[in-house]
Amino acid sequence: MPVQPPIRMGREAVPLWIIDDAHPAPQALHAAAAAASLAATTDDLYPGVRAPAPAAWTDWLNRAVQAWPGLEQARALRADFAIATHDPAALAPVQRIPHFDDADETIKAVVHYLCHPPHGGTSFHRHRATGFERVTKARAPAWRQALAADAARHGLPPAAYHTNDTAMFERIGAAALRHNRLIVYPANCLHCGDVAGSWAGGDRLTITALLRIDPV
């Protein structure tokens, strides 16, 4: 499993690690997902269903990152099976635009693809009005104000999963979906899953996780 240094995206050089053929036994993960009780929760903005990933996967990730350039000190905080299933007509406005997972600059996000094309991968974006590609804690107040200004100027985003460039967002990069591909990126960067054509099938299986970079 050779791991290359991250590619860099956009004006803020957002790092993106892509690891192919990542897990030694992906079929065991498929079996674990089939046995899991995936469900939606009312306090979760994820547009689909989740269930905790196996502890063995988290243990594997913690061992694996030790060999990944720039992630040697990372440790998993949480990990879940996740399938995007919500009808676009039911999405809240905040679910229709690129988002960030955590403003903490020590946190990285992980997506492990356990499905095949034609499902889509993950796209990364710049907010046009602010130029933000990441939303840090310091930027969070300006980000909230900018979204309110966007709504006043452009109206609410259409009831659809975000796909291409819009008046509010410009794509700066993407990670295509490949079975057993794992990607890592800063949790504070603006991104979205490319699920516009996938939600109805109910089988865009992933594991999503958060990593914290421990101080050396």
Side-chain angles (χ1 to χ4, degrees), residues 12-95:
E12 298 183 356
V14 176
L16 170 64
W17 290 261
I18 298 178
I19 301 95
D20 285 330
D21 302 317
H23 194 273
Q27 295 309 317
L29 299 174
H30 283 276
S37 298
L38 281 82
T41 56
T42 56
D43 59 348
D44 189 357
L45 284 175
Y46 180 74
V49 294
R50 296 194 203 240
W57 183 91
T58 303
D59 293 341
W60 162 80
L61 183 67
N62 283 334
R63 294 192 304 271
V65 295
Q66 296 176 29
W68 298 350
L71 297 172
E72 298 90 343
Q73 304 302 318
R75 293 296 178 269
L77 298 178
R78 57 169 290 179
D80 297 287
F81 288 120
I83 304 176
T85 57
H86 286 187
D87 188 320
L91 295 177
V94 71
Q95 295 173 311

Side-chain angles (χ1 to χ4, degrees), residues 97 127-130 143-157 166-169:
I97 60 174
H127 183 241
R128 294 184 189 273
T130 60
W143 169 248
R144 290 191 291 269
Q145 293 173 2
L147 290 185
D150 282 346
R153 180 179 181 183
H154 303 290
L156 294 178
T166 68
M168 294 182 290
F169 293 94

Side-chain angles (χ1 to χ4, degrees), residues 151-174:
R153 180 179 181 183
H154 303 290
L156 294 178
Y161 285 101
H162 188 91
T163 53
N164 299 318
D165 292 350
T166 68
M168 294 182 290
F169 293 94
E170 178 183 3
R171 184 181 294 193
I172 61 170

Side-chain angles (χ1 to χ4, degrees), residues 9-11 22 24 44 56 74-75 80 112 119 122 136 152 160 164 169 175 215:
M9 302 179 292
R11 298 169 186 164
D44 189 357
R75 293 296 178 269
D80 297 287
H112 188 182
H119 291 303
T122 305
T136 62
N164 299 318
F169 293 94

